[in-house]
Amino acid sequence: MKKSILLELWLAVLTYVVIGAAIFRFLELPKEKEMQAIMKETREKFLRLHPCVSRSSFRVLVQNVVTSVTVGMDPGAYFTNKTRSTWTTEGAIFFAGSLVTTVGYGNVILLSDEGRIFCVFFIVLGIPLYGMLLTSTGEHVGTNLQARISTMENFLTKRQLLGTVMVRFLASIFFIGIGFLFFVALPVVIFITLENWSEVESFFYVIVTLTTVGFGDFVPGTNPVNTFWGYQYLVLLWIVLSLFYFASIITMIGNWIRQEMNNLEEVEKLSQSSNLMGRAKEPSRRFPRGSKVVPAPSSVTTRSMTAPSTTSMTAPSKTSMTTPSKIIPSKTSPPKTFPTKSMTTPSTKSMTTPSTISTVQPKGN
């Protein structure tokens, strides 16, 4: 890639990030100030209704609640007789799966140093392994889809029903639509029903998860009221299958784009080779030093070559009738000899002059 194009990409990404940051700040800063005002009002109201609680004690309580929420605990469970652990078998598998798929919700935090060290090695080995699986599965499924579409493409192009570009475009729209229906729209409806999320919250969670961003503000299975055993297993399976499917679609479209680029490169190479062959057939216009350059024949030279043939038929016939009477050698002067130029005159002149001289004799002799 050229340096100019790379620099333009850097500038485009930086500009995109700066514009996005400005928009997020404009949208979220008023909400943050509103929440801060509500928290301040709630604190003052609590301290006013409970004068026995000091501000320092209340601050310690709030800090403990925030810490418990940060590490993934449910503070509401402490006000009931039921206790719920984050590290159940289902929760641990869901956490490990979110690590290798690079989603990383962030709702669960490791507290022990041993767990953090193991997490580092687990990520270093697990993410490349999952990446190989994702790439291999995407290429396999994408190649099979491309083969099916190629069969359909040959069938339609032979009957001149649709062109190649239109077939590929419709196939891409069809498979992307199927993926959007089964892996985006249907999960949105399920999360609205089971998690009691709004339409925007559910759609936001699905897109954030499938793009492996994973903020962690919405995590399925944290509300045990409407969920069931194995619910997080199904969510993890949905994440893996969705990533596989969209990876295969991206692979298929990427193969098509790569084929078109290769075809364009081949056409350019053929055109360049044909231009080089055409230049090689042309005569060289460079001459060595000291050599005489003979100009190419033009219309002027062709006229000069043809003019003698027309004049030689008429001019000698007029002059030959008068010139013999004048060209008579005297007795004193030596006889004049005709130049050798008359020997090299065209054949037509040599054939006509003798006939005219022999037939016409001078008068008065």
Side-chain angles (χ1 to χ4, degrees):
M1 183 179 293
K2 296 182 179 179
K3 293 182 179 180
S4 59
I5 299 176
L6 185 61
L7 181 61
E8 291 176 357
L9 288 176
W10 272 99
L11 293 176
V13 171
L14 291 176
T15 305
Y16 186 78
V17 170
V18 171
I19 293 174
I23 294 174
F24 284 130
R25 186 175 184 274
F26 174 77
L27 296 175
E28 295 298 325
L29 185 59
K31 292 292 183 180
E32 183 185 15
K33 292 182 178 180
E34 182 180 352
M35 290 298 297
Q36 289 176 353
I38 292 173
M39 290 176 62
K40 183 178 180 181
E41 183 181 356
T42 303
R43 181 191 64 187
E44 296 298 331
K45 183 178 180 180
F46 179 83
L47 294 175
R48 186 171 59 252
L49 294 176
H50 303 84
C52 59
V53 179
S54 62
R55 288 182 176 272
S56 60
S57 300
F58 182 75
R59 186 182 299 110
V60 172
L61 176 62
V62 172
Q63 288 178 354
N64 291 332
V65 172
V66 171
T67 303
S68 63
V69 172
T70 304
V71 298
M73 296 181 182
D74 186 9
Y78 293 99
F79 298 97
T80 62
N81 294 325
K82 296 181 180 179
T83 57
R84 184 173 182 270
S85 176
T86 304
W87 295 104
T88 59
T89 304
E90 185 177 351
I93 293 177
F94 186 78
F95 174 77
S98 65
L99 289 180
V100 296
T101 55
T102 67
V103 175
Y105 289 110
N107 62 318
V108 178
I109 296 178
L110 301 173
L111 300 177
S112 63
D113 293 336
E114 295 81 4
R116 291 167 182 169
I117 295 173
F118 174 75
C119 182
V120 171
F121 289 101
F122 184 78
I123 290 173
V124 170
L125 297 177
I127 290 177
L129 183 62
Y130 175 76
M132 293 174 59
L133 176 63
L134 181 63
T135 304
S136 301
T137 306
E139 289 181 355
H140 180 71
V141 178
T143 304
N144 290 333
L145 289 176
Q146 187 176 359
R148 302 293 186 274
I149 295 173
S150 298
T151 304
M152 186 186 304
E153 178 184 336
N154 295 330
F155 176 79
L156 294 175
T157 52
K158 285 182 180 179
R159 288 162 177 76
Q160 297 181 354
L161 298 177
L162 290 174
T164 303
V165 178
M166 183 58 65
V167 171
R168 293 181 177 180
F169 176 75
L170 295 177
S172 302
I173 296 299
F174 176 73
F175 287 110
I176 291 174
I178 291 178
F180 183 83
L181 178 63
F182 285 98
F183 297 108
V184 177
L186 184 60
V188 167
V189 176
I190 293 174
F191 292 135
I192 291 173
T193 305
L194 298 178
E195 298 290 342
N196 293 327
W197 295 340
S198 64
E199 291 81 0
V200 176
E201 292 173 348
S202 182
F203 182 75
F204 173 77
Y205 164 75
V206 169
I207 298 302
V208 166
T209 300
L210 294 183
T211 54
T212 68
V213 176
F215 288 115
D217 49 355
F218 297 98
V219 179
T222 55
N223 184 13
V225 177
N226 298 326
T227 57
F228 50 89
W229 184 87
Y231 174 66
Q232 288 187 326
Y233 292 146
L234 295 177
V235 173
L236 184 60
L237 180 63
W238 161 71
I239 294 173
V240 173
L241 293 179
S242 300
L243 294 177
F244 285 165
Y245 183 81
F246 284 108
S248 64
I249 298 299
I250 293 173
T251 301
M252 180 182 67
I253 297 175
N255 290 334
W256 285 341
I257 295 175
R258 195 177 300 110
Q259 288 179 0
E260 294 297 330
M261 295 297 292
N262 293 332
N263 293 334
L264 291 176
E265 290 179 358
E266 290 180 359
V267 170
E268 291 180 357
K269 289 181 180 179
L270 290 176
S271 61
Q272 292 177 359
S273 62
S274 62
N275 292 333
L276 293 176
M277 292 295 293
R279 292 178 182 178
K281 291 181 180 179
E282 293 181 358
S284 178
R285 296 183 179 181
R286 296 182 179 180
F287 300 93
R289 294 181 180 179
S291 61
K292 295 182 179 180
V293 179
V294 180
S298 60
S299 59
V300 178
T301 56
T302 53
R303 289 178 182 176
S304 62
M305 293 176 65
T306 56
S309 61
T310 56
T311 56
S312 61
M313 297 291 293
T314 57
S317 61
K318 293 180 181 180
T319 56
S320 60
M321 296 177 66
T322 57
T323 50
S325 60
K326 294 179 181 181
I327 306 173
I328 299 174
S330 60
K331 295 180 181 180
T332 57
S333 63
K336 294 183 179 181
T337 60
F338 291 94
T340 58
K341 185 177 181 180
S342 61
M343 300 297 294
T344 60
T345 54
S347 59
T348 53
K349 186 174 181 180
S350 62
M351 292 177 64
T352 54
T353 49
S355 61
T356 54
I357 293 172
S358 60
T359 53
V360 180
Q361 296 181 0
K363 295 181 182 179
N365 286 337

